[in-house]
Every structure is written in structure tokens, then in C-alpha cells.
Amino acid sequence: MLLQRFPALDPGQDRRRMLAQRVFCAALVLLLVLSEVFSSNIQATLPALSRLARLALTGGAVLLLGAKILLLTGYTRRWQPVLAALVLAYTAFAAWYGDDVWFFLAALVGLAAKDIDLRGALRAYLTAAVAGLLFVQLLHFATPLMPYNFYCRNWDFGYGHYNGFGARLIGVFFAWAWLRHDRMRWFDWAGLAALLAFTYKVPGSRGAAGAMAALLALFAVQRFLPRLFDNKIWYGLAIALPVGLAAFSLYAGYVYNPEWPYERMALLLLSIFLSGRFEIWHNVFWGADLSWLGGLPTDGDEHHAIDNAFLAIPMNKGYLGAILVAVFFLLLLWRLAKHRHATEVLCLVALTLYVFMENKPFLLSADPFLLLAPCVFFTGRSAPAEEPLPVVCQRQ
């Protein structure tokens, strides 16, 4: 790390590690406040304050994460800082070109997570996320600062859309389940089940609720049959799942005929069950002019929004971005499977099901598994399976 080259400024290994942890956790808190509070409907009632707060929070988080990557991260190979620079350069360009700053912020978080105590980071994540959610709900129901957005079919809970609320809820669910997996007690099961029921019944965010139900069911089966998810067949299926869902998304959107959908009744019934998503996939994705660099809007506009990350990424990030993101995600799954981290693989299976129904793979408040990025960026190809990865749960 760069700080070691200046002995007068170097506080020593222990203090340096503690400083790195605090800097990283502080950046997480800033990003979660940005997402939970100042990405809400308060932007409509307090636009000047919200703009200043968003600039300050984003800038502060970028500075902290940049300092962590540059000054407080130890690199064991010469190519690692070069790779970090290339990742940041590409994601910064893609974020600017596609108007998706969270793509760049996700890369910053993933790179800065190297050598971080993930349990401590997840505790900070949960505290900030829950506090932000409760604060927004208090403002939404007790003040006029978070007006209801009448565009929504369901109540939006201060986030402009009920699925936006669901994205914040599933982030809390994922972080809670991941952090407590090895020590889950009855109150953890009850709390996670209650959060699942709330998400399904109150905002009605079915994509988030479905992924929650899948992860809770997988954890329950794992509790009684742990070896079921620790074998080559299961790991192969887990790696094949995102590939299969991506292929199905392309196929369903291509063959679905919104003018006469009855010619394929199975697809019609499935599309109805998925809230008419096949028609959106057909009209939005297959009607879009795709390119290598992307740049097409995929969120925020009802005429371009598409609730499927497998289709949204090639629209917004282009063919190049879709290939790079796919390689990253598949490599992450492969490395976790190789090192037999079955629980993290289960978590990524649930995330895969979620992004099949929604377009929030780079939003930190919906995806705490961005903290697993060092498994891809900084683990050598020839690393033995016994080498520890930056994970939270014990191997099966």
C-alpha cells in the first residue's frame, strides 16, 4: 500500500488496518444514506438540499473509497493496482455514458473491500440501511416531505415506486441473512420470515419477496441437508442458472407477440404471472438499438424501464459491458464453488433470481454481495482451494 512508502505517515500495521476498516465503513454509510434517504421522493420537495446532499455524499464516498484503494490497500502482485485502475476507468466511462453512477460506485466498493473485515462492514451496512429506511418512512407518513407518487399502482413508501422500496428491503434481508447465517437462531428465522411477509403483503414487491423466499427456503434445506449444496452437480447448476435465465429472457422477449399472445399460451400465462414482463421485454429490449457501448436508459422512464437486469445491462452498458459483467459474475460463482463456499453460492442464486425480475444489480442498498468482488479481482487463477476468500460464512 502507498502509505507504507512514507514511514513518517505510516501508523503501523494494526492501526493501518483499523483505519482502513473505518474508512471503508464510513464510505458504506455515506452511500447508503445517499440511496436510502436522498434517492427518495424528497428530491421533489427539497430539490436544492437534495442536490447538495447527493453531491456531498457521492463525493465523500468516492474520496474515502479512493483513499482506501490507493493508500490503505495492500497489493500482493504488480498487476493488481493496474487491474484496479482499468476497472475504475472503464466503469467511470460506462457510468457517464449510460447515466448510471451506481455502476462506478459498485466498482469502487468492490475494489475497496479488499482486506476488509466483512462482518464489521455488514454490521455497519445493516445499521445504516435500517436507520435510513425507518427515517424515510417517518418522513413519508408524518410529514409532507415525501409525497406519494401517483404514477405507482401501489403505495410507493417514499421511493417513487413500490419496487424501489422492495429493493431497499431486500438489501436488508440479504445482509441480515448473510451476516447471521452461521449463528442463526429462532429470532433470526422469525425476523427474516416477517420481513419476507411484509415485503410481499405491504408494498407488494414480488421480485424482492420471491428472492427472499428462495433464499430462506435454501437456507432451511441447507440446515437439514448441508451436503446437498456442496457438490459439483449443485455448483454446476448454480453457475448455469444465470446463463439459462439470460437465454430465456432473450427468447421470451423475442418470440412473445403482444398483438396476438394466445399463439403461445404457456408464455402468455407465465407473462401474466410475471406482471406482463414479456411484453415489456419484447417492446423495450427488442425494439432498442443496441451497440457495443450501450448508453440507452433502462430506469426511471416508464417508456424505457425494463425489469430484468439480463436485458437492461446490454441496453445500458452495451455488448462490451454485458460481456464483462457476465464474466465477472460467472467467475465469482466459480471461485466460490471451487473454494466450497456453499452459503455464498446460495446467496448469489437468490440474487440471480432477484435481478431476473428487477434491474438493481449495482445498487449497493439492494446488493450487499458487491463486497465479494475481491474474490474476482484479487484472487489468483492458480490459488489453491484451501486459500481463504473474503467471505463471511464457514465452508460446509
Side-chain angles (χ1 to χ4, degrees), residues 165-175 199 207-209 211-212 350 354 365-366 368:
F165 186 46
R168 276 75 180 183
L169 292 174
I170 199 171
V172 171
F173 184 96
F174 280 156
T199 304
M212 291 178 184
Y354 175 63
S365 57

Side-chain angles (χ1 to χ4, degrees), residues 232-256:
K232 292 182 179 180
I233 295 177
W234 163 253
Y235 289 137
L237 291 174
I239 295 173
L241 178 63
V243 178
L245 289 180
F248 177 76
S249 300
L250 294 169
Y251 168 79
Y254 182 75
V255 303
Y256 187 81

Side-chain angles (χ1 to χ4, degrees), residues 118-119 178 181-182 219 222 226-227 229-231 234-235 238-239 331-349 369 372 375 379 384-396:
L118 293 188
R119 287 190 178 277
W178 188 22
H181 173 269
D182 291 339
F219 276 7
Q222 186 190 36
R227 296 300 177 187
F229 300 122
D230 187 22
N231 58 78
W234 163 253
Y235 289 137
I239 295 173
L331 188 56
L332 175 58
L333 278 170
W334 178 77
R335 287 208 168 134
L336 289 169
K338 175 185 175 182
H339 291 250
R340 294 181 53 204
H341 290 291
T343 300
E344 273 78 12
V345 172
L346 293 183
C347 290
L348 292 184
V349 165
F369 306 120
L372 290 170
C375 297
T379 301
E386 293 76 18
E387 179 181 309
L389 294 181
V391 294
V392 173
C393 304
Q394 298 177 355
R395 295 200 300 183
Q396 294 299 310

Side-chain angles (χ1 to χ4, degrees), residues 94-161:
W96 167 78
Y97 195 73
D99 192 23
D100 179 17
V101 69
W102 284 105
F103 188 49
F104 175 63
L105 294 175
L108 273 173
V109 169
L111 292 168
K114 187 179 187 301
D115 303 327
I116 289 298
D117 173 21
L118 293 188
R119 287 190 178 277
L122 281 176
R123 284 192 287 268
Y125 180 104
L126 270 174
T127 301
V130 172
L133 275 171
L134 293 177
F135 182 68
V136 167
Q137 297 317 299
L138 177 64
L139 292 182
H140 183 54
F141 288 103
T143 75
L145 293 177
M146 300 276 187
Y148 168 63
N149 187 342
F150 287 93
Y151 161 70
C152 302
R153 298 192 303 272
N154 299 356
W155 198 267
D156 67 3
F157 295 88
Y159 287 106
H161 199 283

Side-chain angles (χ1 to χ4, degrees), residues 15-45:
R15 290 186 178 181
R16 193 168 59 239
R17 185 177 302 166
M18 183 183 302
L19 178 61
Q21 185 75 19
R22 290 177 177 176
V23 166
F24 183 77
C25 290
L28 285 186
V29 170
L30 292 181
L31 290 178
L32 288 167
V33 172
L34 171 66
S35 176
E36 306 285 355
V37 180
F38 289 100
S39 296
S40 66
N41 293 351
I42 199 172
Q43 297 179 87
T45 54

Side-chain angles (χ1 to χ4, degrees), residues 187-209:
F187 49 83
D188 292 299
W189 290 100
L192 291 170
L195 186 56
L196 161 61
F198 177 85
T199 304
Y200 181 72
K201 287 293 186 180
V202 181
S205 181
R206 295 193 298 165

